[in-house]
Amino acid sequence: MIEFDAVSKVYPDGTTAVSEVTLTVPSHKTVVLLGSSGSGKTTLLRMVNRMVEPTSGRVLIDGADIRDRNAVHLRRSIGYVMQSGGLLPHRTVTDNVATVPVLNGTSRRSARKEAAGLLERVGLDPALGKRYPHQLSGGQQQRVGVARALAGDPNILLMDEPFGAVDPVVRRDLQDELLRLQSQLGKTIVFVTHDVDEAFLLADTVALLKPGGVLAQVGTPTEIVEHPADDFVAEFIDAGRPRSVLR
Ligand SMILES: Nc1ncnc2c1ncn2[C@@H]1O[C@H](COP(=O)(O)OP(=O)(O)OP(=O)(O)O)[C@@H](O)[C@H]1O
């Protein structure tokens, strides 16, 4: 379980990115941080692995304040998928997936073996492991990004607009694949998107952020559609529009 306890972030130039957010991400569930550009989603996500330190408030994992954890060890124990894939261009796909387990002390041989299994798990032919990232399609690169985040079997996955850079058909494939994986693996997932349909498809709980990093509403997709908290929420989700993706 991840708990954001009244966290705020004011960047050194005075920008308030996140304001007093209190939010719980239950274990084995997917919480989607939804909001328009600049509403603080990435800042909030990065607080979980200490890439961003809150100006005030605390982040707890399973009840323990993460400030008491070594930041590097914490980061390596949490899967992270970025929008661009974030793959290392001069390493093969297999070695990209094996990087963190090797850093954590797993032998290269067993990390590569695990990588082959993970490529299969995300729907890729393990033979692609020999290629370099530029030899893959955008959708394949994103799958590798997910495989890499799963390496070492972390409990927590942070996903920052992971499917934002691919076309709508591939995006839908990747979303379905994530739902399938999550039903098998039961990770604790924090997923960032500005896409309402993507949020409603993937989330157990949606946390909708307003500009300035203020929580506008937290609820299941159905709760938010049926009872938007205010005009901002109703407008953001375009209440009244037919929804095919509600589970
Ligand atoms: N290092 C930084 N220094 C100053 N301001 C920053 C920094 N990083 C982010 N910000 C500002 O904080 C606010 C929130 O940014 P953040 O990236 O968290 O939003 P976001 O909702 O993830 O946006 P996007 O969807 O565009 O990625 C924005 O106004 C942004 O310009």
Side-chain angles (χ1 to χ4, degrees):
M1 176 172 67
I2 306 165
E3 292 164 279
F4 298 94
D5 177 16
V7 288
S8 297
K9 178 68 182 181
V10 182
Y11 284 108
D13 67 356
T15 306
T16 299
V18 171
S19 299
E20 291 277 327
V21 167
T22 294
L23 175 69
T24 297
V25 184
S27 297
H28 315 298
K29 298 290 182 191
T30 301
V31 171
V32 174
L33 306 178
L34 173 67
S36 51
S37 185
S39 57
K41 307 179 296 294
T42 295
T43 300
L44 198 53
L45 181 90
R46 289 184 173 180
M47 286 182 189
V48 178
N49 65 5
R50 294 190 62 188
M51 288 169 74
V52 169
E53 300 285 355
T55 317
S56 60
R58 303 179 306 162
V59 179
L60 311 175
I61 293 182
D62 295 334
D65 191 329
I66 60 171
R67 266 177 307 199
D68 298 331
R69 301 269 302 272
N70 173 290
V72 174
H73 293 169
L74 177 76
R75 214 159 289 155
R76 285 188 198 155
S77 72
I78 293 176
Y80 185 43
V81 189
M82 286 176 273
Q83 173 163 5
S84 54
L87 302 177
L88 302 165
H90 302 301
R91 292 210 185 162
T92 63
V93 164
T94 296
D95 284 343
N96 265 282
V97 176
T99 300
V100 168
V102 168
L103 286 172
N104 281 336
T106 304
S107 74
R108 199 165 289 276
R109 191 154 165 265
S110 49
R112 284 183 171 154
K113 204 167 152 212
E114 186 196 4
L118 285 167
L119 291 176
E120 251 180 329
R121 179 134 235 173
V122 299
L124 290 174
D125 182 345
L128 294 179
K130 292 197 184 70
R131 295 200 192 170
Y132 288 86
H134 74 272
Q135 297 170 318
L136 301 178
S137 71
Q140 288 170 332
Q141 288 184 28
Q142 289 311 104
R143 285 177 197 265
V144 175
V146 174
R148 187 179 56 171
L150 291 171
D153 199 19
N155 292 326
I156 296 175
L157 278 188
L158 305 178
M159 308 186 80
D160 194 352
E161 296 255 11
F163 312 144
V166 293
D167 71 61
V169 175
V170 173
R171 186 170 185 153
R172 195 51 222 256
D173 273 356
L174 290 167
Q175 291 165 343
D176 286 341
E177 195 77 28
L178 180 62
L179 285 170
R180 189 184 61 75
L181 273 174
Q182 175 63 349
S183 71
Q184 294 168 353
L185 301 177
K187 300 292 182 187
T188 304
I189 299 180
V190 187
F191 188 106
V192 163
T193 187
H194 60 264
D195 183 298
V196 178
D197 289 329
E198 180 166 82
F200 285 175
L201 177 71
L202 298 177
D204 294 299
T205 300
V206 173
L208 176 55
L209 289 155
K210 290 189 208 193
V214 178
L215 263 186
Q217 186 167 0
V218 179
T220 65
T222 306
E223 282 164 358
I224 292 179
V225 169
E226 290 182 355
H227 307 288
D230 56 23
D231 289 349
F232 171 85
V233 177
E235 209 167 294
F236 193 90
I237 64 166
D238 197 1
R241 186 152 78 86
R243 300 264 170 217
S244 58
V245 294
L246 286 183
R247 280 187 281 158

